[in-house]
Structure formats: structure tokens, C-alpha cells
């Protein structure tokens, strides 16, 4: 009898393999949740909602987009990290994904081990923008104001985002003091900037273009190493800080252990969406460069840029919030 039990125990995993293979081959057979790390109306939300209809065509199932803002993306990350690794719950996050482990207190999961990168969707620069009436229209004037009035407030999409890191890096290299005001997304900081209750903000072109175009805010400079987008703004790098380059991106992540065939389907669906000319045009208007990187290239980028973030955190002395 013991020998028979051992044989049955050894056979059970083998008996499950055909069923597992069938489930992967038919994935998805129900709607897929995509958890967005930021509030509605901002960069990440805009990108995924532009892509979702075309991804649904590829997958043959609905994509249910859910916004779970807060903690620079850590709240959304916690939700996905705890989900089954079956492909039915995905995370759509930004460059802030790399920053969160350094700057957000009380993480309940191992951020580096909990996820597998699936595909990068777009890249996008951030920009420094000031409220209407603020006495600066160039980066030099902004820095001069910050030296005269230490503690100028700048809003960002949240603690541990590119905006947070970009402000700390600028303050460190310019020798100024800035007060970080974290929001739950770029759209939220844009509302306060338009109302005049916030001095400045660092976020995506998508969040601030309407304010700049109708004169409710003034664009100062881009955080990317080169000029990008249609606003024709100078970069921080060319405005006196060579080597300054923080370009954000958006991409898909899945819980670690998600089967490779499922990840491949998600990547293929993202490629299908970004091959659509109308989607690409609307993303470009919002300041995005569509550029799908598959799981291997995306993972390599994350490893490389995580070390860049580590160095910036050390250089600036920025502390977790």
C-alpha cells in the first residue's frame, strides 16, 4: 500500500500537465483585469484605455481596467502581487515601478521578485510646469526664484514616481530646496496647478498640455535627455544640467510564475494595439512614443534603470515617505 501511495503521488503532477497545457492554450476564457497604478485621466490611465479596445480584439476577451492609485503605485502593485499567477490580473505601471522600493515605506512584498515584466508599451518625457503668474518662464528663472524663496512646492503623481525623483535630482544639482507634494495621479496635480494653489508640478505632457495650451500654466523644461513631443520645450539637460535624463515609460507586469504562453499572448496583444495607426497617432498627441519592448528587452531595461535609480537616490539623499 505505501508503494502504491507513492506511485499515485508521483503520478498526480503528470496527470495535471495536459489540463494545465489546455488551460494555457485557451487563455483567456474570461475577462482580464488590468490594474492601473494611478488615478483616472492621467498618463497611465490614458495609455491603457487607448490600447484596450485593440488588445481585446487580439485576446478575444474584455480588458477590465481598474484604477488603484496611491503610494506611487505600491497599492496597485500589492493587489497584483497577491493575485494568482494565471494571467487574469495584470499591472499597468510606469517608470515609478523602479522607484517605489527605494522611496515608499512599509512595502508588504518583495517588489523585485513579485512580478515578471511582460511588455513595455510607450515611453514619455516628464516636464516641469509652473502655475500662471509664477515669476519664471525658463529653468534659470525658476532656479533663481527657488533660491530667493526656498521651499517652492512641486506636485507629482505620487511618492516614488519619476516626478518625485526628477524634482529631487534637480534640487540636488541646482542647490535649491523644493517641497514635494505627492498626489494620486498627474490629473490631480494638474487641477491644483490650474487653480493656482500649487506653485509647480512635474508630470507628463498628457497631464499638462491642456493647461499650457490655454494659458493656465507655463511649461518650463523637459526631463528627457533630448527634446521630444510637440510642445517644443527645452530640456533640463540643455538648460544647464548636462546628463540630466529621466524618461518615463508605461508597461505591463504579471505576477511572478505566470506561464510563458500567457505572457506571450499579452505581449502579442500589446503589439497588435500599437500597430494601429489611430492608436499611435492619439498616443503621440499625448506625448508618447509607442515602442513595444518584449519581455526580455523590457526586463533588461528594468535591471539597467533600477541601478540608475539607486545611484540617483544615493546622490540626492532623498528619503522614503
Amino acid at each position: 500500500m505505501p508503494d502504491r501511495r507513492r506511485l499515485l503521488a508521483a503520478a498526480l503532477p503528470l496527470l495535471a500537465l495536459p489540463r494545465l497545457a489546455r488551460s494555457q492554450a485557451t487563455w483567456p476564457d474570461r475577462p482580464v483585469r488590468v490594474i492601473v497604478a494611478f488615478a483616472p485621466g492621467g498618463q497611465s490611465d490614458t495609455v491603457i484605455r487607448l490600447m484596450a479596445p485593440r488588445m481585446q480584439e487580439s485576446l478575444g476577451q474584455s480588458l477590465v481596467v481598474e484604477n488603484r492609485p496611491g503610494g506611487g503605485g505600491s497599492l496597485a502593485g500589492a493587489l497584483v502581487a497577491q493575485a494568482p499567477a494565471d494571467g487574469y490580473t495584470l499591472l499597468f505601471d510606469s517608470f515609478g515601478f523602479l522607484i517605489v522600493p527605494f522611496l515608499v515605506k512599509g512595502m508588504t512584498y518583495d517588489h523585485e521578485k513579485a512580478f515578471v515584466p511582460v511588455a513595455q508599451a510607450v515611453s514619455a518625457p516628464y516636464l516641469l510646469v509652473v502655475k500662471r503668474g509664477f515669476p519664471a518662464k525658463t529653468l534659470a528663472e525658476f532656479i533663481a526664484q527657488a533660491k530667493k524663496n526656498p521651499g517652492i512646492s512641486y506636485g507629482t503623481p505620487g511618492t516614488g514616481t519619476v516626478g518625485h525623483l526628477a524634482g529631487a535630482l534637480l534640487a540636488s544639482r541646482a542647490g535649491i530646496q523644493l517641497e514635494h507634494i505627492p498626489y494620486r495621479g498627474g490629473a490631480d496635480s494638474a487641477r491644483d496647478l490650474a487653480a493656482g494653489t500649487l506653485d509647480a508640478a512635474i508630470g507628463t505632457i498628457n497631464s499638462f498640455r491642456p493647461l499650457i495650451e490655454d494659458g493656465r500654466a507655463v511649461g518650463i523644461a523637459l526631463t528627457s535627455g533630448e527634446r521630444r513631443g510637440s510642445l517644443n520645450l527645452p530640456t533640463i539637460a540643455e538648460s544647464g544640467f548636462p546628463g540630466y535624463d529621466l524618461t518615463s515609460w508605461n508597461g505591463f507586469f504579471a505576477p511572478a510564475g505566470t506561464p510563458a504562453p500567457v505572457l506571450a499572448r499579452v505581449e502579442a496583444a500589446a503589439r497588435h494595439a500599437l500597430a494601429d495607426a489611430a492608436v499611435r497617432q492619439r498616443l503621440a498627441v499625448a506625448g508618447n512614443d509607442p515602442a513595444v519592448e518584449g519581455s526580455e528587452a523590457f526586463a533588461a531595461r528594468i535591471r539597467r534603470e533600477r541601478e540608475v535609480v539607486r545611484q540617483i537616490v544615493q546622490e540626492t539623499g532623498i528619503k522614503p515617505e
Side-chain angles (χ1 to χ4, degrees):
M1 184 65 70
D3 289 340
R4 185 177 179 184
R5 288 199 185 99
R6 282 196 294 271
L7 288 171
L8 285 171
L12 283 174
L14 297 176
L15 293 172
L17 284 176
R19 185 168 62 252
L20 178 61
R22 285 196 301 273
S23 68
Q24 294 176 19
T26 59
W27 185 94
D29 59 10
R30 64 179 189 270
V32 177
R33 297 169 70 202
V34 181
I35 309 300
V36 182
F38 300 97
Q43 161 72 10
S44 300
D45 182 68
T46 297
V47 172
I48 187 57
R49 292 184 188 278
L50 285 174
M51 295 178 65
R54 295 295 176 260
M55 291 184 69
Q56 290 172 170
E57 289 178 352
S58 176
L59 295 173
Q61 286 288 341
S62 298
L63 257 64
V64 181
V65 178
E66 297 182 18
N67 299 87
R68 295 297 180 96
S74 62
L75 298 185
L79 181 63
V80 177
Q82 296 163 7
D86 56 11
Y88 287 99
T89 305
L90 304 173
L91 175 67
F92 194 70
D93 208 340
S94 70
F95 185 95
F97 178 89
L98 302 177
I99 308 171
V100 160
F102 297 99
L103 298 185
V104 175
K105 292 180 179 178
M107 298 287 289
T108 59
Y109 54 97
D110 188 326
H111 203 274
E112 293 188 24
K113 296 180 180 178
F115 307 98
V116 57
V118 183
Q120 178 191 336
V122 299
S123 61
Y126 271 42
L127 77 157
L128 169 64
V129 59
V130 296
K131 67 182 179 181
R132 178 170 51 193
F134 188 86
K137 288 184 169 54
T138 67
L139 185 62
E141 292 172 351
F142 179 82
I143 292 170
Q145 285 297 317
K147 288 182 175 178
K148 287 197 305 184
N149 304 290
I152 287 174
S153 61
Y154 75 101
T156 74
T159 298
T161 60
V162 171
H164 185 189
L165 197 65
L169 184 59
L170 176 62
S172 174
R173 295 191 176 177
I176 58 177
Q177 295 179 17
L178 298 173
E179 180 187 359
H180 177 228
I181 309 294
Y183 286 81
R184 293 165 64 86
D188 291 345
S189 64
R191 280 193 289 271
D192 277 1
L193 191 75
T197 58
L198 184 66
D199 296 323
I202 302 178
T204 61
I205 292 174
N206 178 61
S207 295
F208 299 112
R209 175 192 295 276
L211 305 186
I212 294 171
E213 290 180 340
D214 67 13
R216 289 182 291 163
V218 177
I220 297 293
L222 299 172
T223 65
S224 52
E226 299 177 350
R227 293 193 184 202
R228 300 171 64 175
S230 58
L231 291 176
N232 194 32
L233 290 172
T235 66
I236 292 175
E238 72 183 77
S239 302
F241 300 91
Y244 187 109
D245 183 4
L246 284 172
T247 300
S248 187
W249 42 255
N250 286 109
F252 294 90
F253 298 84
T258 301
V262 173
L263 301 179
R265 288 291 309 279
V266 177
E267 180 183 336
R271 290 186 183 278
H272 174 77
L274 293 176
D276 184 276
V279 172
R280 295 176 67 87
Q281 192 274 333
R282 292 182 67 187
L283 286 171
V285 167
N288 294 282
D289 292 331
V292 169
E293 284 189 355
S295 56
E296 291 186 9
F298 193 25
R301 178 173 188 155
I302 286 172
R303 288 193 296 271
R304 182 174 65 251
E305 293 187 345
R306 182 176 282 123
E307 293 309 307
V308 173
V309 171
R310 192 187 310 275
Q311 292 169 15
I312 292 174
V313 169
Q314 291 174 350
E315 174 187 338
T316 60
I318 188 172
K319 302 297 182 184
E321 297 182 2

